Amino acid sequence: MSEVTTVELFWLEKRIENRIRFGKPASERIVDHHRRILSFLPGSIFALVRWTSNDFGTILSRIDILRAVAPGQRYSTVPWVSPGGESLLRLSGWPKVERVLQLIDAVESLGIDPADAAPDYWHHAHNRLSVNETPRPYTRARHQAWLRRWRIVF
């Protein structure tokens, strides 16, 4: 198993779009006009948005917020992600995907990179949105608490 998690981004106009909404790739390789491969170091958090349509409209809208794993760690398999990642959030359907994108925007509006936000927050957002409830907002105080906890543990 490689030391990195790779994500294949694929774009086919009006049919398929796989894109990274946030994350800090360690490297990028352009395969062709439609494909790129990004690599993430273990522990990196990123959001993968997948959208697919056909002649009748959208058939798939999904967002996954994942943490890249180290060799030997458990992971969930996710299409286009090798080997997979630790799932922090996984939601389908445009209304839920749109709500997650709004939460990401809200974190960014605080001047915080969503890739640096507390992983627990993405779990919380997943749990609340999966039952059509509103997640608590991410705050600077919550972020500071996460940073202090992270320094102690790591």
Side-chain angles (χ1 to χ4, degrees), residues 45-66:
I45 295 175
F46 60 92
L48 172 63
V49 179
R50 294 182 287 144
W51 173 85
T52 306
S53 73
N54 63 18
D55 293 337
F56 302 103
T58 299
I59 56 175
L60 172 77
S61 292
R62 173 165 288 154
I63 187 165
D64 290 275
I65 298 180
L66 302 164

Side-chain angles (χ1 to χ4, degrees), residues 104-118 138-141 143-144:
I104 293 168
D105 290 343
V107 171
E108 289 175 331
S109 74
L110 297 171
I112 299 168
D113 186 329
D116 297 329
Y138 196 71
T139 63
R140 290 184 195 281
H143 188 64
Q144 291 303 315

Side-chain angles (χ1 to χ4, degrees), residues 18-77:
N18 297 342
R19 65 183 176 94
I20 294 295
R21 174 55 183 86
F22 68 79
K24 300 172 187 170
S27 67
E28 176 180 5
R29 182 169 59 96
I30 297 173
V31 178
D32 57 35
H33 181 69
H34 298 285
R35 293 181 298 153
R36 295 182 301 144
I37 297 176
L38 302 180
S39 298
F40 292 90
L41 297 174
S44 299
I45 295 175
F46 60 92
L48 172 63
V49 179
R50 294 182 287 144
W51 173 85
T52 306
S53 73
N54 63 18
D55 293 337
F56 302 103
T58 299
I59 56 175
L60 172 77
S61 292
R62 173 165 288 154
I63 187 165
D64 290 275
I65 298 180
L66 302 164
R67 183 171 14 204
V69 296
Q73 286 184 310
R74 294 180 299 179
Y75 58 87
S76 298
T77 57

